Amino acid sequence: MIGMVHRKEVDLSVTQITITEERREAVDFTVPYSFDSVTFITSDPIAKHDTLAIIKPFVWQVWLCVFLSLTLVTICLTVINNINRNWKRQNPWTASLWYLWGCLVAQGGRIPSFKFCSVRIILVIWWLFAIVFVASYGGTLKSHMTILTKNQPIDTIYALEREVSQGRFTCGVFKGSFLEERLLNSKDPLYGVLGEPLRKDPSLFVKTHEEALLRTLKSDFACIDYQSHLEFEAAKMGEDKFSIAKDFFSSVTVGIALQKGCPYKKSFDRIIKRIVQAGLMKKWTDETEEDMRRNATDHRFEAIIRPLQVDDLLGAYVFLLIGHTMSTLVLFAEIVYSKLF
């Protein structure tokens, strides 16, 4: 379009064209009617199943404190039992441990030394601790299982650079845009990394915004363009499907391209200034974006709370497998011990 205006094939170009010094050498620009930023868009991170949800309700320090508390109270009960000479027919350490563990998993049990006041005091405090522990654990576990979390989005330029340099992501721009020149021929290391896939694979250039956004949904692809364009197109197709970066490459100004020496430049400038100062550009932009958002195609949000799936309970099955494995090993050890002794 700049070439067509420069060759005087057309009088002007009213599409959204970035004002650059290189283009000023070929055409004249009106005063800017829009100020924008260059950023990128990717698909919204997919929800992930948390296999370790069974241990996520507490941080590791809490689990350590629970283990230490169980050990300490087991020692106290065993010492009291030895002093009072109870549980003669069974191992006092095992009896104390299993009883206290049963309290933590809301199960009952029998303890011969319950008649002693010292034991009662210990157990009253332990039962209170167990009630708080079970209530806190159960409520938080349900939240971790039923509310899905998402992978970390790529929302900074340097995060995108890292993903592209490691071959996990590709990025593309519109053919003929000023970004093409910047990515393909820039000496800036950042743009050089992002432009490397474009130099190797010309198919990464996109022709329409719909094509670009569909490609982000189907593959690990990031489209670099004006923030306003990306927001418009995301609103049209469903904002919940996309993630627009918080970071931006540069700020740009947009104007109308005119032939060199155009006699109507001053008139254009005067009218554009009045439109911008009256706030009409922002009003039109907001109305258009809101209209696109209301008419978004296939615009639906996934339910936050959902039924549990096998992947959500995988952690419990892992612990069950570990328990059966340990039990089998102990069983073999007991068999060998009984035959030898």
Side-chain angles (χ1 to χ4, degrees), residues 73-85 92-93 96:
V73 178
T74 299
I75 294 173
C76 291
L77 279 182
T78 304
V79 170
I80 294 175
N81 170 71
N82 290 334
I83 293 175
N84 295 285
R85 297 185 179 182
W93 293 96
S96 298

Side-chain angles (χ1 to χ4, degrees), residues 3 13 96 149 208 255 290:
S13 176
S96 298
T149 57
T208 65
E290 182 59 31

Side-chain angles (χ1 to χ4, degrees), residues 114-263:
F114 183 74
K115 59 184 179 180
F116 298 106
C117 289
S118 56
V119 174
R120 292 180 181 180
I121 294 174
I122 292 177
L123 294 183
V124 165
I125 301 301
W126 183 255
W127 290 336
L128 178 62
F129 168 78
I131 291 172
V132 175
F133 173 82
V134 172
S136 303
Y137 178 80
T140 311
L141 179 63
K142 292 175 184 177
S143 300
H144 277 280
M145 286 185 168
T146 57
I147 300 178
L148 285 178
T149 57
K150 293 186 176 182
N151 294 315
Q152 187 68 22
I154 301 174
D155 55 4
T156 66
I157 295 173
Y158 292 103
L160 178 63
E161 179 195 22
R162 182 182 65 249
E163 295 296 313
V164 171
S165 64
Q166 295 177 358
R168 293 194 292 261
F169 245 79
T170 56
C171 59
V173 296
F174 285 84
K175 186 69 176 177
S177 66
F178 83 102
L179 290 168
E180 177 187 359
E181 174 75 16
R182 186 162 296 182
L183 287 174
L184 294 183
N185 304 313
S186 177
K187 297 180 181 179
D188 187 315
L190 173 61
Y191 285 108
V193 171
L194 297 179
E196 184 63 27
L198 289 168
R199 287 188 285 270
K200 295 180 179 179
D201 185 6
S203 67
L204 293 175
F205 287 104
V206 292
K207 297 179 180 179
T208 65
H209 284 97
E210 183 177 3
E211 175 193 345
L213 267 62
L214 286 175
R215 189 176 292 188
T216 64
L217 295 177
K218 295 178 181 179
S219 61
D220 294 327
F221 179 81
C223 177
I224 304 175
D225 196 20
Y226 300 122
Q227 182 175 354
S228 60
H229 286 179
L230 298 177
E231 290 176 347
F232 281 151
E233 294 302 318
K236 185 188 300 183
M237 299 180 67
E239 291 175 314
D240 58 314
K241 301 175 184 176
F242 304 97
S243 175
I244 298 178
K246 301 176 183 178
D247 204 359
F248 61 90
F249 291 91
S250 61
S251 297
V252 294
T253 55
V254 178
I256 298 175
L258 306 170
Q259 292 181 4
K260 277 288 187 179
C262 178

